[in-house]
Amino acid sequence: MIKAILFDKDGTLLKFSDIWVDSIVKFLNEKNLSEDKKKKLFKKIGVKENNEVEENSILSSETVKDLALIFSEFLDGEIDEIYREIDDFLLEFLKENKEEIVETCDLKNLFSDLKSRGIIIGLFTSDNFRNAKFSMEYLKLNDFIDFYAAADLYEKKPSTESLEIFKEKYSLRDEEIIIVGDSKVDMIFGKDTIKLGVLCGTGSREMLLKYTENIAEDPRGVLKLIS
């Protein structure tokens, strides 16, 4: 019996919009990097020439700390200083461009359905807590979420630290949990749980099928797994 579902955020609950690339572009423009250095940096974090994000790249799957580590190769300053600057910048950019926070499906209806069945809802993300919570509050979804597993609260995915804490907190077994995500990191994080790969993010069907036979267009696919 399914008792809990952990959802990835970007590419799963939220459309992977241009906001992340746009915010990074603006951040770098303020640093006056040469075009050559920008191109090299973009390539390292997984931004294509057409501004699309590569599957399983640093930008699509990793954390702000991972971005800071790459940025430190091109910018002056200590990694921790760059990390704090990027984190603050991304949050402010998100607030200024909140209209780009777009759901991949009708999440209020989905979450309401899950709650009516007594399902515990968690969100696990490579993003930091402030950004994740702001997005959920903006969409009026925060009250549905019982647990946040953000990159600045626990070890980053695919480490299962947050999963183990989630299981312990709610006395759950792996077979009682569904992990929903769009990336390789999400699927590895899911470990021995039931996994659902969604096609509304950066991950391809071919890649996701390597980790699970459960594939859906968007997070609403979980309803078939709990019915």
Side-chain angles (χ1 to χ4, degrees):
M1 178 181 176
I2 300 300
K3 295 183 179 179
I5 301 174
L6 275 173
F7 293 93
D8 168 52
K9 182 170 70 72
D10 296 306
T12 300
L13 294 180
L14 305 183
K15 291 183 179 179
F16 205 100
S17 72
D18 292 337
I19 190 169
W20 300 116
V21 176
D22 292 345
S23 61
I24 295 302
V25 168
K26 185 176 180 181
F27 179 82
L28 294 176
N29 282 342
E30 293 182 3
K31 298 300 179 184
N32 295 316
L33 281 176
S34 68
E35 287 303 313
D36 182 57
K37 283 188 175 181
K38 283 183 192 176
K39 285 182 180 179
K40 289 179 179 178
L41 195 157
F42 273 22
K43 186 174 182 179
K44 290 199 84 167
I45 64 175
V47 179
K48 301 178 183 178
E49 290 187 4
N50 61 2
N51 273 8
E52 289 184 0
V53 179
E54 292 181 6
E55 179 181 67
N56 299 324
S57 64
I58 289 174
L59 188 57
S60 69
S61 303
E62 301 297 337
T63 69
V64 176
K65 284 189 176 180
D66 293 308
L67 287 175
L69 183 62
I70 299 298
F71 282 21
S72 69
E73 299 175 21
F74 297 84
L75 302 174
D76 294 327
E78 297 295 324
I79 293 176
D80 287 346
E81 177 187 344
I82 294 171
Y83 164 70
R84 288 191 295 272
E85 186 179 0
I86 297 172
D87 190 36
D88 289 339
F89 186 92
L90 292 179
L91 179 61
E92 290 308 308
F93 192 90
L94 187 65
K95 289 178 178 179
E96 293 169 5
N97 298 273
K98 52 185 177 290
E99 69 279 356
E100 291 194 46
I101 303 172
V102 181
E103 303 163 287
T104 56
C105 63
D106 185 345
L107 294 178
K108 186 174 182 180
N109 186 56
L110 172 60
F111 285 0
S112 295
D113 189 338
L114 295 175
K115 282 299 179 184
S116 71
R117 303 172 191 235
I119 300 292
I120 300 163
I121 296 176
L123 185 149
F124 72 106
T125 177
S126 295
D127 203 355
N128 283 356
F129 175 72
R130 293 187 302 168
N131 288 359
K133 190 174 183 185
F134 177 80
S135 296
M136 294 300 104
E137 287 177 336
Y138 172 70
L139 295 172
K140 296 180 171 56
L141 298 172
N142 184 60
D143 289 344
F144 291 102
I145 298 172
D146 301 294
F147 185 85
Y148 279 91
D152 56 341
L153 299 181
Y154 304 101
E155 291 181 10
K156 69 174 186 176
K157 301 180 289 184
S159 165
T160 57
E161 180 193 34
S162 59
L163 176 59
E164 294 305 320
I165 291 173
F166 180 67
K167 285 160 59 178
E168 182 177 353
K169 180 175 182 177
Y170 295 103
S171 300
L172 296 165
R173 301 190 305 273
D174 287 329
E175 61 269 24
E176 296 173 326
I177 304 170
I178 299 174
I179 299 292
V180 185
D182 68 303
S183 72
K184 176 181 177 180
V185 170
D186 297 336
M187 297 295 101
I188 296 173
F189 170 82
K191 204 174 177 183
D192 298 321
T193 64
I194 298 167
K195 294 181 283 291
L196 173 69
V198 293
L199 301 173
C200 48
T202 60
S204 65
R205 180 184 296 273
E206 181 182 16
M207 182 276 293
L208 293 168
L209 281 171
K210 294 177 182 177
Y211 302 94
T212 180
E213 61 182 15
N214 302 313
I215 306 293
E217 291 300 318
D218 59 53
R220 290 173 294 189
V222 298
L223 296 177
K224 292 183 179 179
L225 298 179
I226 63 176
S227 58

